[in-house]
DNA sequence: TCGGCTTACACGTTTGAAACGA
DNA sequence: ATCGTTTCAAACGTGTAAGCCG
């Protein structure tokens, strides 16, 4: 395999690896966790990202303003930055196929990663509520390491077997319907079944790059912004669902996972016996949800037409101030920092196992404030000249991927 | 020798264009 | 001429198994 330090020599040894999350995995040995900390990296390396921080909005050609990060990993998160951003109060997300995820999670979810890219199954399919029907939002998905361990299948279960590989450049999958109005996103479930995972660090397609035999956690981000390249936004919210944690593999290790995949994935029907070998598993067919398949790939090359086709008249850009959506697209991790920033359950939605509906998560983990001005920022430039799929991180100005594409958010993870 | 990765393969699903009829 | 339905082939997504590699 390629070694990231050889592929990205400019990074040196500066890959910041996330520490084990408190309570995230009790099987992770504290010894490994301690050894996982880079002595020279006890404080986040922010200079490369935050050198250009300003309170006011910036143009596309300038470094985006970013909020402050927690001072030290593994400690209590810092209170929300005073110069912070909008939040998305009242917005909640629920995992539509939570039962399927739980079936896999109970066994120990594994996701195949290949050089060419492999889809996730189950896919993340969520319902969102609480959005402004008129405002426009971006839906993003990324995958972050859960801990600092490499895992090995020991015949009956997964066990840590050493330190993790250095973390690879973050990439973000942009839902192909982005940007679309709140009404569009709330109309039907939002599916990320087109996300592909790869183990190729030289992947040219922009798929999400993972190490094999590592544990990962998908995250879904909502950004209120009129356009992908909007230089201002109205807030951000991120969500993760514990049951979606998985271990990346190049070949299934646990035969029970193989059985579950075959039983639940329609593409694997050919491996079922008598056409059905596990009726207990609810299929996770991609049809129906709000999804790129509704508009086809043709829209990937034309971001102007990428907005929800159902919207006859695109909603006007909401008046919003503060940091840019662009900044979030570039450095989503920077807006969340430590795992403690991830959402907590909304107390107004107590778990109701008998309801059959997944319990929503609150978006209130980011308590942000409106930026100065609130509106009146210059209109964002037209979203022309989009790269069809992904791009490498680099100095501004940057091209932007089209909807359904991926964004390489830089080579230096924030945590 | 062994664990992990790549590749070719067969099978099924998805997708979109073409054909057809009302 | 338009619209809706059906058909069909190509593209795509699966897991498997064999072989390769370090």
């Amino acid at each position: 395999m390629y070694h990231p330090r050889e592929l990205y020599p400019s990074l040196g040894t500066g890959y910041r690896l996330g520490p084990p999350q408190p309570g995230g995995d009790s099987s992770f040995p504290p010894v490994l966790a301690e050894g996982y900390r880079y002595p020279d990296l006890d404080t986040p390396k922010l200079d490369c990202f935050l050198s250009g921080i300003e309170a006011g909005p910036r143009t596309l050609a300038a470094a985006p303003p970013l909020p402050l990060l927690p001072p030290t990993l593994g400690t209590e998160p810092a209170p929300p930055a005073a110069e912070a951003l909008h939040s998305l109060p009242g917005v909640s997300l629920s995992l539509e196929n939570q039962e399927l995820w739980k079936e896999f999670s109970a066994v120990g979810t594994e996701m195949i990663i290949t050089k060419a890219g492999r889809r996730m199954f189950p896919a993340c399919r969520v319902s969102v509520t609480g959005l402004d029907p008129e405002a426009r939002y971006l839906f993003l998905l990324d995958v972050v390491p859960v801990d600092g361990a490499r895992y090995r299948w020991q015949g009956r279960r997964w066990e840590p077997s050493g330190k993790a590989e250095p973390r690879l450049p973050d990439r973000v999958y942009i839902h192909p319907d982005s940007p679309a109005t709140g009404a569009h996103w709330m109309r039907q479930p939002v599916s990320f079944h087109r996300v592909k995972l790869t183990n190729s660090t030289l992947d040219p397609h922009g798929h999400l790059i993972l190490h094999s035999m590592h544990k990962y956690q998908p995250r879904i981000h909502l950004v209120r912004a009129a356009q992908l390249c909007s230089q201002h936004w109205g807030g951000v919210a991120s969500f993760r669902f514990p049951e979606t944690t998985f271990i990346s593999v190049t070949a299934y290790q646990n035969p029970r996972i193989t059985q579950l995949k075959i039983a639940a994935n329609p593409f694997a029907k050919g491996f079922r016996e008598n056409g059905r070998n596990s009726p207990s598993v609810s299929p996770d067919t991609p049809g129906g949800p709000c999804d790129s398949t509704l508009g086809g790939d043709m829209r990937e090359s034309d971001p102007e037409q990428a907005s929800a086709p159902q919207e006859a008249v695109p909603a006007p850009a909401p008046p919003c101030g503060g940091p840019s959506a662009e900044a979030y697209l570039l450095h989503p991790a920077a807006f969340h920092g430590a795992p403690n920033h991830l959402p907590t359950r909304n107390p107004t939605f107590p778990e109701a196992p008998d309801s059959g509906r997944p319990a929503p998560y609150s978006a209130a983990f980011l308590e942000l404030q409106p930026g100065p001005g609130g509106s009146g920022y210059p209109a964002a430039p037209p979203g022309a000249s989009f790269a069809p799929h992904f791009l490498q991180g680099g100095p501004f100005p940057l091209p932007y991927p089209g909807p359904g594409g991926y964004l390489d958010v830089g080579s230096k993870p924030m945590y």
Side-chain angles (χ1 to χ4, degrees):
Chain A
M1 279 303 294
Y2 309 105
H3 196 290
R5 289 198 180 109
E6 298 167 3
L7 298 170
Y8 304 93
S10 63
L11 302 180
T13 58
Y15 279 94
R16 171 147 284 284
L17 308 181
Q21 297 181 10
D25 182 4
S26 57
S27 67
F28 189 77
V31 174
L32 268 181
E34 188 56 33
Y36 183 63
R37 297 176 64 86
Y38 283 51
D40 58 332
L41 292 173
D42 275 348
T43 55
K45 286 189 171 180
L46 305 181
D47 52 333
C48 56
F49 290 101
L50 307 181
S51 57
I53 281 187
E54 293 180 7
R58 301 286 297 271
T59 65
L60 274 177
L66 294 170
L68 297 175
L69 288 174
T72 305
L73 296 174
T75 64
E76 285 297 311
E83 69 274 32
L85 322 162
H86 294 273
S87 64
L88 294 175
V91 174
S92 65
L93 219 62
S94 60
L95 190 61
E96 276 291 306
N97 49 353
Q98 187 182 52
E99 292 307 312
L100 184 62
W101 273 105
K102 282 184 173 178
E103 285 190 62
F104 280 86
S105 181
V107 179
T109 310
E110 299 173 23
M111 292 289 179
I112 292 282
I113 58 176
T114 66
K115 189 177 180 180
R118 196 79 149 190
R119 285 187 176 184
M120 288 177 63
F121 188 89
C124 290
R125 196 167 72 207
V126 299
S127 289
V128 59
T129 58
L131 299 178
D132 179 350
E134 302 295 321
R136 312 191 88 187
Y137 298 86
L138 318 176
F139 247 109
L140 316 172
L141 182 144
D142 68 357
V143 177
V144 293
V146 167
D147 53 37
R150 179 186 179 91
Y151 286 81
R152 171 180 287 188
W153 176 252
Q154 297 289 26
R156 297 183 63 179
R157 61 174 182 166
W158 287 97
E159 293 179 358
S161 70
K163 287 197 288 188
E165 296 291 318
R167 191 170 164 181
L168 293 164
D170 288 344
R171 280 178 172 176
V172 174
Y173 174 83
I174 305 171
H175 192 280
D177 286 5
S178 301
T181 62
H184 173 80
W185 294 120
M186 293 188 290
R187 184 175 298 132
Q188 53 193 336
V190 180
S191 175
F192 287 89
H193 71 272
R194 291 201 176 211
V195 171
K196 282 189 176 181
L197 310 176
T198 181
N199 60 347
S200 172
T201 53
L202 295 177
D203 169 64
H205 304 104
H207 302 143
L208 306 183
I209 306 173
L210 308 180
H211 285 302
S212 182
M213 302 294 180
H214 287 57
K215 187 177 286 186
Y216 288 96
Q217 166 79 70
R219 302 185 307 181
I220 295 174
H221 312 273
L222 251 176
V223 182
R224 177 170 168 167
Q227 301 180 42
L228 278 176
C229 59
S230 175
Q231 61 182 283
H232 52 245
W233 64 353
V236 57
S238 294
F239 303 84
R240 66 168 180 171
F241 302 92
E243 56 269 43
T244 60
T245 298
F246 64 86
I247 291 180
S248 54
V249 296
T250 55
Y252 290 125
Q253 306 294 307
N254 185 350
R256 293 180 63 193
I257 283 294
T258 307
Q259 293 171 7
L260 276 175
K261 297 257 185 177
I262 291 174
N265 192 333
F267 282 107
K269 221 173 195 173
F271 303 97
R272 298 178 190 172
E273 295 177 7
N274 303 322
R276 183 184 307 170
N277 69 354
S278 180
S280 68
V281 176
S282 54
D284 186 44
T285 52
C290 176
D291 175 285
S292 61
T293 58
L294 298 178
D297 292 337
M298 59 164 185
R299 290 187 289 145
E300 290 190 4
S301 59
D302 188 352
E304 289 298 316
Q305 297 178 355
S307 57
Q310 297 90 335
E311 308 298 331
V313 179
C320 54
S324 66
E326 162 203 30
Y328 189 86
L329 285 170
L330 290 171
H331 308 294
F335 287 76
H336 309 299
N340 311 59
H341 281 230
L342 290 162
T344 55
R345 277 204 183 271
N346 186 336
T348 63
F349 295 96
E351 285 194 74
D354 298 332
S355 69
R357 296 282 300 173
Y361 284 75
S362 167
F365 74 103
L366 272 180
E367 292 296 335
L368 307 170
Q369 302 170 1
S375 62
Y377 292 127
S385 68
F386 277 40
H389 287 296
F390 86 107
L391 58 135
Q392 297 290 338
F396 297 99
L398 286 168
Y400 287 82
Y406 300 80
L407 183 65
D408 195 322
V409 297
S411 301
K412 294 189 178 181
M414 298 307 295
Y415 64 96

